[in-house]
Amino acid sequence: MLFSEILNHHPEDKICLQVGDRQLTYGQLNSKSTCLANRLAITIKKGDRVFLRLEDPLEQLTAFFAIVKAGGVCVFASIEMKEELCTELKKKYEISYDFAQMLLVNEQNDDIILPELNGQEIFLGVFSSGSTGTPKLILRDHQSWMAAFPWQSEIFNLYCKDILYLVGNLAYSANLNACLHMFFLGGSVAISKSKMPKTWAREVCVYKVTAIFMVPANYRVFVKNFVQTNKVVVSIVTG
């Protein structure tokens, strides 16, 4: 399976993503991203790198799947990255296009034939934290993540019935990996845009979350704000 196909294998009416009171089903995300891919494919060629710097997770994932379906390499960048650094990284790593700018010029074209892809082709670029200098671009092919997902399912006790809770931006590759892993399984993902641990504790209960992925620092403040017993969560992952 490839990331360009991953949304096709699950019930169209099942919710795959929830952010606050907004949600998308597998069918909606698949349809929206395909329409967008038809716009992007007017310009980009297979293997072209497309810079993606958005804040909203629903928009991020729609754009991600669109870029991949169009044959591009989606290069995620944090919304907090400064414009000067963005410009420097685009030039250094030969990132041909900026997603936001492409939307201004490309219109829908249903006659476009999207490219055939294979598992060895690069689909994703993420930047290192930059803690030791300028962030470095790390590239991934379809197979490198897909081959790991069955093992992750077994190790982390995750299944298609699960609802995974994430905190933070999908430009952080561990968050993105966890999200795409749940889409691989056919599960659901709830993403919090809040930085408040009390909100996390409330949302975990409201969304009936069964699995959580957070970095250790977030867990430390999260557990202090969880005041009631929870017997629904069965998997807690960190890294």
Side-chain angles (χ1 to χ4, degrees), residues 7-23:
L7 302 175
N8 298 329
H9 294 268
H10 309 300
E12 290 189 355
D13 59 350
K14 181 171 182 177
I15 295 172
C16 65
L17 183 65
Q18 178 137 350
V19 181
D21 59 357
R22 299 175 300 147
Q23 58 190 33

Side-chain angles (χ1 to χ4, degrees), residues 3-237:
F3 285 99
S4 54
E5 307 165 342
I6 199 171
L7 302 175
N8 298 329
H9 294 268
H10 309 300
E12 290 189 355
D13 59 350
K14 181 171 182 177
I15 295 172
C16 65
L17 183 65
Q18 178 137 350
V19 181
D21 59 357
R22 299 175 300 147
Q23 58 190 33
L24 285 174
T25 64
Y26 276 100
Q28 288 170 332
L29 182 54
N30 195 26
S31 176
K32 286 175 179 289
S33 58
T34 298
C35 289
L36 188 52
N38 289 332
R39 293 176 62 184
L40 301 180
I42 297 172
T43 303
I44 67 174
K45 302 184 297 295
K46 186 189 288 190
D48 282 344
R49 297 174 182 179
V50 182
F51 196 76
L52 182 65
R53 182 169 169 253
L54 296 172
E55 184 173 12
D56 182 71
L58 281 79
E59 293 179 357
Q60 278 183 309
L61 285 165
T62 302
F64 162 76
F65 281 109
I67 293 168
V68 174
K69 288 179 180 182
V73 178
C74 183
V75 179
F76 272 88
S78 170
I79 194 68
E80 297 175 357
M81 186 179 286
K82 295 182 178 179
E83 292 290 345
E84 296 82 1
L85 181 56
C86 289
T87 301
E88 177 186 344
L89 293 172
K90 288 178 193 176
K91 182 177 180 180
K92 179 177 180 179
Y93 291 108
E94 299 180 337
I95 300 172
S96 309
Y97 300 102
D98 188 304
F99 175 78
Q101 294 173 357
M102 294 181 73
L103 290 188
L104 298 177
V105 297
N106 286 2
E107 297 181 355
Q108 178 71 24
N109 188 341
D110 293 326
D111 295 328
I112 288 289
I113 299 176
L114 299 179
E116 293 186 9
L117 306 174
N118 65 67
Q120 285 70 50
E121 288 173 326
I122 302 296
F123 78 101
L124 174 68
V126 293
F127 289 108
S128 65
S129 63
S131 57
T132 58
T134 304
K136 297 176 178 60
L137 183 63
I138 303 166
L139 299 173
R140 293 283 181 263
D141 61 40
H142 291 262
Q143 192 59 28
S144 65
W145 275 15
M146 282 290 184
F149 285 164
W151 296 98
Q152 290 176 209
S153 302
E154 182 176 346
I155 292 169
F156 302 139
N157 193 35
L158 295 172
Y159 305 92
C160 64
K161 61 179 175 57
D162 284 311
I163 301 173
L164 175 70
Y165 188 73
L166 298 174
V167 171
N169 199 280
L170 294 172
Y172 172 45
S173 62
N175 271 350
L176 180 63
N177 180 280
C179 179
L180 296 180
H181 177 206
M182 287 308 298
F183 288 174
F184 168 83
L185 292 173
S188 302
V189 179
I191 302 178
S192 180
K193 295 181 66 177
S194 175
K195 296 182 179 180
M196 304 299 293
K198 288 184 179 179
T199 300
W200 305 342
R202 177 180 57 80
E203 289 180 338
V204 163
C205 295
V206 170
Y207 298 147
K208 296 183 169 65
V209 166
T210 60
I212 303 173
F213 174 83
M214 290 185 190
V215 296
N218 283 347
Y219 274 122
R220 281 195 287 271
V221 294
F222 172 68
V223 295
K224 294 178 181 178
N225 288 272
F226 213 94
V227 296
Q228 57 184 326
T229 301
N230 185 300
K231 297 182 179 180
V232 178
V233 175
V234 296
S235 178
I236 294 179
V237 185

